[in-house]
């Protein structure tokens, strides 16, 4: 079954109801060669594909193909943004190259979302560039919305249709043997099926510096924001202040509307 995921549908997993989700990736530890200081350009991996992550998702090849076509740096529509910590009021630069391709990461060829971003020559851009060079920012995270996915049940009997489907699909997942360990991090009341995400809408790529969830270092990580109530309230207050700043900014109406819609989706989620 191919699921068209919408927040008004019944649940496959609770998070697919959200208009905005995060997925973080820490495969690449930045080196000085990953930052071109002369061109003020960052080269990085937004996300890796065919990896079972700590939310039991597998992002498949070309998952963001349509988003790149419609909103990539070469498209006419509102552009996919470069941000810090998913805060769209803090945009240190703009994405100049965005594609899905194979990249050699730590000796292994990985299918991934590759990007290049040029930092703006202002205070925020300069500070961000320095943070990359100092290693304070060494991970990236994508802000996106689930659109299409297929669920697989690793707990199904091997001879059942569901069991056969999982046994066949897991051949394409690099760390499928980690399912048992990763599933322990999912509460028992939540669906523990594996979600193979074939299409998602990409809103932004963020540089992040928070810690990552446990995962095999050579394959990648997934991390998230603190669930401390005070931290969440401060984050929401920052977003609220940012929305007011955006509303007063002298930018083109279409671009402003796009940013406000994404920021609103973040707050709701």
């Amino acid at each position: 079954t191919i699921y068209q995921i919408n927040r008004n549908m019944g649940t496959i997993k609770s998070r697919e109801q959200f208009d905005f989700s995060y997925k973080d990736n820490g495969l690449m530890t930045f080196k000085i060669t990953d930052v071109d200081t002369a061109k003020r350009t960052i080269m990085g991996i937004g996300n890796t594909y065919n990896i079972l992550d700590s939310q039991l998702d597998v992002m498949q090849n070309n998952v963001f193909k349509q988003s790149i076509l419609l909103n990539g740096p070469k498209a006419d529509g509102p552009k996919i943004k470069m941000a810090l910590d998913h805060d769209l009021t803090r945009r240190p630069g703009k994405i100049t190259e965005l594609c899905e391709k194979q990249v050699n990461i730590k000796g292994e060829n990985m299918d991934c979302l590759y990007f290049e971003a040029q930092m703006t020559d202002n205070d925020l851009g300069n500070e961000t560039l320095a943070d990359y060079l100092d290693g304070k920012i060494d991970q990236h995270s994508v802000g996106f919305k689930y659109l299409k996915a297929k669920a697989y049940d690793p707990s199904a009997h091997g001879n059942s249709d569901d069991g056969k489907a999982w046994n066949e699909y897991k051949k394409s997942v690099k760390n499928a043997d980690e399912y048992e360990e990763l599933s322990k991090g999912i509460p028992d009341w939540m669906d523990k099926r594996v979600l193979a995400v074939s299409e998602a809408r990409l809103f932004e790529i963020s540089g992040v510096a928070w810690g990552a969830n446990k995962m095999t270092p050579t394959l990648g990580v997934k991390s998230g924001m603190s669930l401390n109530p005070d931290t969440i309230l401060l984050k929401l207050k920052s977003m609220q202040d940012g929305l007011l700043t955006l509303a007063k900014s002298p930018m083109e109406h279409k671009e402003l509307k796009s940013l406000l819609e994404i920021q609103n989706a973040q707050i709701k989620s």
Side-chain angles (χ1 to χ4, degrees), residues 64-81 94-99 202 252 254-255:
F64 296 123
K65 180 179 180 179
Q66 192 68 7
S67 286
I68 295 172
L69 180 65
L70 296 177
N71 303 109
K74 299 176 184 178
D76 294 330
K79 302 295 188 286
I80 295 164
K81 308 302 179 188
K94 66 177 182 179
I95 295 173
T96 56
E97 180 69 29
L98 185 62
C99 62
L202 180 62
E252 186 179 340
K254 188 176 182 181
E255 183 81 354

Side-chain angles (χ1 to χ4, degrees), residues 19 23 32 35-37 49 60-61 67 84 86 96 161 163 168 180 189 197 209 211 217 219 222 236 249 254 257 263:
D19 283 336
K23 190 171 293 292
I32 194 72
V35 182
D36 186 333
T37 53
Y49 300 155
Q60 296 188 294
N61 291 351
S67 286
L84 295 177
H86 301 292
T96 56
D161 288 343
E168 182 61 30
E180 292 297 332
W189 54 268
V197 185
L219 291 180
K222 184 101 173 275
L236 289 174
S249 63
K254 188 176 182 181
K257 182 175 182 293
Q263 194 84 335

Side-chain angles (χ1 to χ4, degrees), residues 11-248:
T11 62
I12 300 174
K13 296 180 182 176
S14 60
R15 68 187 176 285
E16 277 75 72
Q17 300 174 66
F18 293 138
D19 283 336
F20 194 98
S21 299
Y22 302 122
K23 190 171 293 292
D24 303 341
N25 181 72
L27 275 176
M28 181 172 286
T29 299
F30 273 83
K31 307 177 293 298
I32 194 72
T33 51
D34 297 312
V35 182
D36 186 333
T37 53
K39 295 182 179 179
R40 304 177 60 82
T41 298
I42 306 301
M43 293 151 278
I45 306 300
N47 202 255
T48 46
Y49 300 155
N50 306 311
I51 301 292
L52 179 64
D53 64 35
S54 61
Q55 286 187 340
L56 305 184
D57 288 349
V58 178
M59 303 298 275
Q60 296 188 294
N61 291 351
N62 301 313
V63 65
F64 296 123
K65 180 179 180 179
Q66 192 68 7
S67 286
I68 295 172
L69 180 65
L70 296 177
N71 303 109
K74 299 176 184 178
D76 294 330
K79 302 295 188 286
I80 295 164
K81 308 302 179 188
M82 173 72 182
L84 295 177
D85 295 325
H86 301 292
D87 183 350
L88 286 167
T89 67
R90 300 171 65 219
R91 302 190 306 281
K94 66 177 182 179
I95 295 173
T96 56
E97 180 69 29
L98 185 62
C99 62
E100 294 172 302
K101 67 177 185 178
Q102 219 175 61
V103 175
N104 188 284
I105 303 173
K106 297 183 178 179
E108 184 173 1
N109 290 327
M110 304 286 291
D111 293 299
C112 60
L113 176 68
Y114 172 84
F115 76 95
E116 295 181 8
Q118 186 175 47
M119 299 296 102
T120 306
D121 189 6
N122 59 19
D123 288 346
L124 181 59
N126 292 334
E127 290 171 8
T128 303
L129 191 61
D131 284 344
Y132 273 107
L133 291 169
D134 291 342
K136 293 178 181 178
I137 299 177
D138 61 0
Q139 299 179 39
H140 290 103
S141 174
V142 292
F144 70 100
K145 180 180 180 179
Y146 295 85
L147 293 178
K148 294 181 182 178
K150 182 173 181 178
Y152 292 92
D153 186 2
S155 67
H157 190 280
N159 291 326
S160 67
D161 288 343
D162 286 345
K164 291 176 181 177
W166 166 246
N167 286 333
E168 182 61 30
Y169 174 68
K170 71 179 184 181
K171 295 175 184 177
S172 65
V173 181
K174 291 181 180 294
N175 61 329
D177 59 347
E178 295 180 29
Y179 171 80
E180 292 297 332
E181 184 63 28
L182 291 170
S183 66
K184 293 176 182 177
I186 305 296
D188 290 338
W189 54 268
M190 287 189 69
D191 191 333
K192 294 193 178 187
R193 287 180 293 175
V194 169
L195 202 65
V197 185
S198 58
E199 184 178 351
R201 182 182 176 189
L202 180 62
F203 296 113
E204 49 90 10
I205 300 175
S206 280
V208 294
W210 55 71
N213 288 338
K214 181 180 178 181
M215 195 169 176
T216 304
T218 55
L219 291 180
V221 300
K222 184 101 173 275
S223 62
M225 284 187 290
S226 168
L227 295 180
N228 181 290
D230 292 335
T231 302
I232 293 173
L233 287 174
L234 287 171
K235 183 69 175 177
L236 289 174
K237 178 64 168 62
S238 173
M239 286 182 169
Q240 184 182 44
D241 292 342
L243 283 173
L244 291 174
T245 301
L246 276 177
K248 296 176 182 178

